[in-house]
Amino acid sequence: VVTTMVWGSLAALVGVLRLRDGYKPARFFVLVFALVSVSSAISALDTLGVMDAIQHHYLVTMVTQSIDMGLLALALADRINLSQEQREEALRQSVETEQRAAATERKASEKMQQALTLSKKESEKKSEFLRMVSHELRTPLHSIISATEQWGETEDEFARRDLIDYLTYGAARLRTQIDNLVLYAETDTEDVAINAKTFELQALFTRVIEKTRPKPNAAVQFEFEYAAQNPPLCVGDSYLLEHMLRSVLD
């Protein structure tokens, strides 16, 4: 009897500790083992011979045990409900995780599709650029090759001077196109470093004009006018500005 009373008291204490930890079914176990301790105490009093003050103590013990069984049934039902809630919560979290994963997969697929589209456009642009470059390079090369082939077929001094002009024009044109390719390679990035410095604007324009003035074709009229209100000095990247103007004039 004493062992049962001590065991019930310790079990009730454990139930109190678990209830403080947030385990809700423990409240029924606390009541159950508290009643077990009371029932054991009544039995202990009967054993010690002091039960004259308590009438029908066996009936009290039986009622206590019945209440214990009912409370244990409630504890079991509460535990089942708690398990069901935990399963539902786990299922909800699983569904949310799956939805987030599906959304992430859709976003990744969209980004991949955008990247593929951009890559296709860049590939088309590169192919178009290469076709244009090959044409621009072949034109001055043909001029140089034709002038070179005709050089050995004529002894006329005036004709050879014309051929020299064509050779000079072709070489200058070829150098310009190569410079443009180099500039394109240098500036084909988003982090182009601008080298800002002070330079003379009119001197830059004059230099650009002299390098791009059409010489072989006399029918082309080319004039350059510099407004007086333009500033004599500017601050900027004269290298990029010069190549941009040369590309436009070409």
Side-chain angles (χ1 to χ4, degrees):
V1 170
V2 174
T3 302
T4 302
M5 184 174 61
V6 173
W7 172 80
S9 299
L10 292 176
L13 177 61
V14 172
V16 171
L17 295 177
R18 291 292 290 122
L19 185 60
R20 292 181 58 185
D21 292 338
Y23 186 67
K24 292 183 179 181
R27 63 186 184 274
F28 296 104
F29 287 97
V30 172
L31 293 175
V32 167
F33 292 115
L35 290 175
V36 169
S37 299
V38 173
S39 177
S40 300
I42 294 175
S43 298
L45 291 175
D46 179 62
T47 302
L48 295 175
V50 293
M51 282 304 298
D52 294 338
I54 302 177
Q55 299 295 329
H56 307 293
H57 61 277
Y58 288 107
L59 180 61
V60 173
T61 302
M62 292 179 62
V63 172
T64 303
Q65 292 177 353
S66 299
I67 296 175
D68 289 345
M69 295 300 295
L71 291 175
L72 288 175
L74 291 176
L76 179 60
D78 196 18
R79 181 67 183 89
I80 293 174
N81 292 334
L82 182 61
S83 299
Q84 182 66 24
E85 292 176 358
Q86 291 175 346
R87 285 195 296 269
E88 291 177 355
E89 179 65 19
L91 179 61
R92 184 184 63 82
Q93 292 181 357
S94 176
V95 171
E96 291 180 354
T97 302
E98 184 177 356
Q99 291 176 350
R100 287 195 298 268
T104 303
E105 184 178 359
R106 285 195 301 270
K107 290 181 180 179
S109 178
E110 291 175 358
K111 290 183 178 179
M112 182 178 295
Q113 187 62 36
Q114 293 174 358
L116 290 175
T117 303
L118 181 60
S119 177
K120 183 178 180 180
K121 291 182 179 179
E122 292 295 331
S123 178
E124 293 175 354
K125 289 182 180 179
K126 184 178 293 184
S127 299
E128 180 65 23
F129 175 76
L130 291 176
R131 285 193 295 268
M132 180 188 67
V133 167
S134 63
H135 170 73
E136 294 295 332
L137 292 180
R138 283 197 302 267
T139 300
L141 283 175
H142 288 166
S143 177
I144 294 174
I145 294 174
S146 291
T148 303
E149 292 176 349
Q150 294 178 25
W151 181 271
E153 298 177 359
T154 180
E155 298 293 338
D156 186 13
E157 187 67 23
F158 293 101
R160 286 193 170 185
R161 289 180 181 178
D162 292 337
L163 293 177
I164 291 176
D165 289 338
Y166 278 106
L167 285 172
T168 303
Y169 170 76
R173 182 70 178 175
L174 184 61
R175 185 189 65 182
T176 299
Q177 296 302 331
I178 294 176
D179 289 342
N180 290 338
L181 289 176
V182 172
L183 180 65
Y184 179 81
E186 292 176 351
T187 58
D188 188 22
T189 178
E190 295 182 356
D191 54 351
V192 178
I194 302 300
N195 185 19
K197 61 181 180 180
T198 303
F199 62 93
E200 295 183 3
L201 189 60
Q202 185 174 4
L204 183 143
F205 283 147
T206 302
R207 184 168 60 254
V208 171
I209 295 303
E210 291 299 325
K211 290 182 179 180
T212 57
R213 186 183 300 277
K215 295 180 179 179
N217 193 349
V220 176
Q221 299 297 322
F222 187 80
E223 297 180 358
F224 168 61
E225 296 181 1
Y226 188 80
Q229 63 268 25
N230 287 332
L233 298 177
C234 286
V235 177
D237 196 323
S238 60
Y239 174 77
L240 295 179
L241 179 60
E242 180 177 348
H243 278 274
M244 184 272 290
L245 293 175
R246 287 175 57 184
S247 299
V248 173
L249 290 176
D250 286 340

